[in-house]
Amino acid sequence: MRYFSPWERTREVEDYYLESVVGNITDQRKVPFGDAVISTRDTCVGAESCEELFTPHAPHIDMSLNGVEIFTNSSGSHHELRKLDTRVNLIREATRATGGIYLYANQQGCDGDRLYYDGCAAIFMNGKCLAQGSQFSLNDVEVVTATVDLEEVRSFRCTPSRGLQAARAAPYKRFEVDFWLSATTTAATIPTEEIQIHFHNPMEEIALGPACWLWDYLRRSRAAGFFIPLSGGIDSCATSVIVFSMCREVVRAIKDGNRAVIDDATRLCGELPEDMNAERLSNHIFHTCFMGSEKSSSKETRARAKALAKDIGAYHTDLNIDTVVSALHSLFAAVTGFSPRFRVHGGSDAEDRALQNIQARIRMVTAYLFAQLLPQVRGKTGGLLVLGSANVDESLRGYLTKYDCSSADLNPIGSISKTDLRAFIRWAEDAFDLPVLHDFLTATPTAELIPFTENEPSQSDEVEMGMTYDELSVFGRLRKQSKKVQLFYTSYAINRHKMTVLTPSYHAEAYSPDDSAQVRNHPECISSSDSNKRRFDLRPFLYPRFSLPYRKMEESVQALEKRAEH
């Protein structure tokens, strides 16, 4: 428990003696502290906090039976894909079942970790939404208001069955204050009408949530921008498009006159032109680099990376890493007298993996070199934040090289599935007017780490993993019985150690593999009491062989097959 101990005594209050530094200002020696409600001259107000809304017996239930008409909730609810619907339905049903007015406020922005808090403040009354704030915004503060008629709450609650429960309800301690919440009304005062709740589709959530998260990190870290190794594949493409989405949101905020965003953008770009657009901003702060090989990188992937960088306005560089790879290969051969070969050239599996990993790790080192010095090359100061682009499915499967380009400063797609990323790119092709994205969708996913040969097919991620990305996405959520479950868990176990050094990733799914960011299955915010659960994942990173469960699975399959024969 990092900051406080929870109050465990329901409906109890005690005197809290103030420190003199506070008491001298307020002219008080003590204040009541505990579980109570506040009565004004015209209504009664109660508060529940954050996750209490998500519990089976939320405080607003008993408060409503005690005559509380206005409920407040100061929340710290983090974003997950498709989660807002759950949150909104809970608030709606809370006021539909008990009657009353629910004032929901939520933190908005990044709190310096993997979570993004997605705002969406709202006001509900008797099951109806009267006001809703934005879910993704660069504003520091956002206020929503509504005009309500308290008599509507009292009329809504006027039922015999509710009265019977209210008569049996244990009382809350009330603190009375001598003022009115209601304003003087006239015939012209009209209560706010119900509105339709706006939900972003999952593709919009991917475009906006990680984008706002990245902007918060960029401005708070005082870095000069972002750098990404742009491979020509879906993952680095999706990450780049998210950065472009961030630039679009920043430009929109600049045009809306957001002073804080204007000041941050001016620090990054200098004096802002009147016709500033997302592409110009991207050219100032976003740096991409294709790190290819003459032996294994195709012209198509190189061209895709260059075309995407051009269309989103990024500052793009192109290089080959062959000389560095050759130097390391020669170094090892000179020291050991052994010259490793790729499998397609007659080498063993161990040699093949080692030679692929050399290329992957060189790209990580090169990325940090360029991130540190590119601003100086361009006449700027500061360094760049390196972005990783390993998706959640590959991390769960362990289909990545430890300390390759998956090792970075931030990863905006680290808990998003490949299936969702492909759908996002398909959506962004039209939404952001980026026709080049079609070429990424039709390309075969490949690491391009094995030299081309005439008689061997091109390297394919799905072939090497032994399962498709769609299947991987399913395994991330479900554990179905099949040979591929055994393949998944075997791969998971032998690659588990990679999760201990995974790049901090934007939290978008509850099944993130990140050791340092494991969020429990409950969809709501993380309380202080759960800090240790998040920071120290107790799952081992060295697993025994799964011989017993695999044998039981095979026996179950054989029994089902025999039953089917009869």
Side-chain angles (χ1 to χ4, degrees), residues 138-140 215 218-219 222 246-247 249-274 276 281 284-285:
L138 301 183
N139 294 325
D140 286 333
W215 177 250
L218 180 59
R219 68 183 184 86
R222 310 293 290 180
M246 180 202 77
C247 293
E249 293 305 304
V250 170
V251 170
R252 182 178 290 111
I254 291 172
K255 292 180 178 179
D256 290 342
N258 186 316
R259 190 68 252 172
V261 174
I262 291 172
D263 290 344
D264 288 324
T266 301
R267 177 187 68 82
L268 291 163
C269 307
E271 186 176 350
L272 303 178
E274 292 185 3
M276 171 65 85
L281 178 61
H284 278 285
I285 66 175

Side-chain angles (χ1 to χ4, degrees), residues 48-319:
E48 61 184 11
S49 62
C50 201
E51 190 178 353
E52 289 178 328
L53 171 65
F54 285 70
T55 56
H57 193 84
H60 69 258
I61 298 174
D62 289 335
M63 287 182 186
S64 71
L65 295 175
N66 273 267
V68 175
E69 297 175 327
I70 300 175
F71 311 101
T72 67
N73 188 326
S74 300
S75 185
S77 182
H78 62 270
H79 172 241
E80 284 182 7
L81 296 180
R82 307 170 181 88
K83 174 183 170 184
L84 181 61
D85 182 68
T86 300
R87 191 191 303 159
V88 165
N89 284 337
L90 284 169
I91 301 173
R92 179 191 283 117
E93 292 306 315
T95 58
R96 179 178 289 160
T98 65
I101 300 160
Y102 205 102
L103 310 179
Y104 179 82
N106 188 33
Q107 181 181 349
Q108 189 166 54
C110 169
D111 200 22
D113 58 12
R114 296 161 175 82
L115 304 179
Y116 175 77
Y117 300 89
D118 57 339
C120 208
I123 300 173
F124 280 76
M125 183 175 73
N126 299 343
K128 300 177 181 179
C129 183
L130 305 181
Q132 178 189 8
S134 65
Q135 186 177 8
F136 305 105
S137 170
L138 301 183
N139 294 325
D140 286 333
V141 178
E142 190 174 66
V143 179
V144 297
T145 62
T147 301
V148 297
D149 185 352
L150 291 171
E151 294 301 328
E152 289 190 33
V153 175
R154 293 155 190 166
S155 176
F156 185 88
R157 289 179 171 180
C158 189
T159 61
S161 56
R162 184 189 181 284
L164 289 173
Q165 290 190 348
R168 296 194 297 266
Y172 270 87
K173 171 69 176 178
R174 289 197 178 208
F175 292 100
E176 297 186 0
V177 291
D178 190 23
F179 62 77
W180 301 76
L181 284 182
S182 302
T184 302
T185 59
T186 66
T189 304
I190 301 176
T192 302
E193 295 184 359
E194 181 181 10
I195 64 170
Q196 290 295 316
I197 300 171
H198 174 70
F199 293 101
H200 291 286
N201 65 50
M203 304 308 102
E204 292 172 325
E205 291 187 76
I206 293 174
L208 296 173
C212 293
W213 182 74
L214 286 175
W215 177 250
D216 262 358
Y217 259 104
L218 180 59
R219 68 183 184 86
R220 293 171 64 180
S221 67
R222 310 293 290 180
F226 295 115
F227 178 92
I228 187 172
L230 184 55
S231 68
I234 280 286
D235 295 330
S236 60
C237 166
T239 302
S240 299
V241 173
I242 288 172
V243 175
F244 182 61
S245 174
M246 180 202 77
C247 293
R248 288 166 56 96
E249 293 305 304
V250 170
V251 170
R252 182 178 290 111
I254 291 172
K255 292 180 178 179
D256 290 342
N258 186 316
R259 190 68 252 172
V261 174
I262 291 172
D263 290 344
D264 288 324
T266 301
R267 177 187 68 82
L268 291 163
C269 307
E271 186 176 350
L272 303 178
E274 292 185 3
D275 59 345
M276 171 65 85
N277 59 24
E279 289 80 7
R280 284 191 176 186
L281 178 61
S282 176
N283 188 260
H284 278 285
I285 66 175
F286 190 36
H287 304 71
T288 60
C289 181
F290 182 81
M291 304 180 190
S293 167
E294 293 181 350
K295 299 177 181 178
S296 58
S297 299
S298 68
K299 295 179 181 178
E300 291 77 14
T301 53
R302 193 182 297 266
R304 280 198 304 272
K306 183 178 180 180
L308 175 60
K310 178 182 178 181
D311 285 359
I312 64 177
Y315 181 89
H316 186 64
T317 51
D318 188 306
L319 59 89

